[in-house]
Amino acid sequence: GQSLEQPSEVTAVEGAIVQINCTYQTSGFYGLSWYQQHDGGAPTFLSYNALDGLEETGRFSSFLSRSDSYGYLLLQELQMKDSASYFCANNTNAGKSTFGDGTTLTVKP
Amino acid sequence: ETGVTQSPTHLIKTRGQQVTLRCSSQSGHNTVSWYQQALGQGPQFIFQYYREEENGRGNFPPRFSGLQFPNYSSELNVNALELDDSALYLCASSRLAGDQETQYFGPGTRLLVL
């Protein structure tokens, strides 16, 4: 089957750096995506890794290691507005995405 | 704003009833995926439509069905509603089926089954 594991909660202070890890088990894996979801809102695409390595998009970076079935989302210069749930999702060749249960990030002043 | 719209925004139904949820995809996108998100959980894949054909299905019973129209908008139909069907239903559109590099989610329909 397919499953993704990520921490349920992370807390950090403004200006800090936080890393949210994600491990996955899947077959036919295409790539790993990351989404942000604020309370009551829709998931918003942040980043996608199909190949090993680091992808950087502004304050957010995402990393993938296919050999380790592992990835992470790195958030730098944290701001209060970054408080949200973050989901990793794997894309398979079956044309569907499997999401983890999400990591709730709380940014404190 | 992603350009993906869903209607209605909220809905209350009773057990055993049927419901139809609607989604308009972003311009230029021919693929629509539907997800169910229960409180405190990640979105669970229901199914995907690509050019009006079902293209992948998750672990949902047949009473969950869908359609995609020539303009690539889509419907999700749920028959014989159960209490556990209460959730946020999200649709997401993308350019390519299978290569879901970027999915753009609509705001969702929050369904409550009493």
Side-chain angles (χ1 to χ4, degrees), chain B residues 7-113:
Chain B
S7 62
T9 56
H10 296 80
L11 200 53
I12 299 175
K13 291 284 188 178
T14 56
R15 198 169 47 183
Q17 285 188 310
Q18 179 267 343
V19 69
T20 297
L21 309 181
R22 294 178 175 83
C23 171
S24 292
S25 59
Q26 186 178 105
S27 177
H29 287 186
N30 55 21
T31 302
V32 173
S33 302
W34 285 92
Y35 294 86
Q36 180 195 67
Q37 186 176 24
L39 203 60
Q41 297 182 16
Q44 300 295 309
F45 177 78
I46 303 175
F47 45 55
Q48 180 186 81
Y49 278 83
Y50 170 65
R51 292 188 174 180
E52 303 178 58
E53 297 287 332
E54 188 178 288
N55 179 53
R57 188 179 181 92
N59 296 322
F60 281 80
R63 60 190 184 85
F64 285 78
S65 63
L67 283 173
Q68 188 179 32
F69 300 99
N71 66 355
Y72 302 132
S73 66
S74 178
E75 286 184 355
L76 164 65
N77 298 289
V78 188
N79 293 321
L81 283 167
E82 301 177 359
L83 298 180
D84 286 348
D85 295 333
S86 296
L88 178 68
Y89 288 85
L90 296 160
C91 77
S93 73
S94 54
R95 287 183 303 114
L96 298 171
D99 176 11
Q100 295 183 344
E101 176 174 340
T102 304
Q103 293 188 90
Y104 295 90
F105 282 84
T109 294
R110 194 165 295 279
L111 173 65
L112 177 61
V113 182

Side-chain angles (χ1 to χ4, degrees), chain A residues 54-80:
Chain A
L54 192 68
E55 293 283 340
E56 297 182 71
T57 309
R59 295 188 295 117
F60 295 175
S61 303
S62 59
F63 172 83
L64 177 67
S65 169
R66 296 176 74 105
S67 60
D68 296 323
S69 298
Y70 162 77
Y72 66 72
L73 179 69
L74 190 73
L75 297 87
Q76 304 181 72
E77 301 173 20
L78 282 174
Q79 302 175 9
M80 298 295 289

Side-chain angles (χ1 to χ4, degrees), chain A residues 3-21:
Chain A
S3 65
L4 296 95
E5 297 288 333
Q6 53 181 128
S8 58
E9 294 179 349
V10 173
T11 301
V13 297
E14 264 187 305
I17 299 173
V18 72
Q19 178 174 313
I20 300 174
N21 299 321

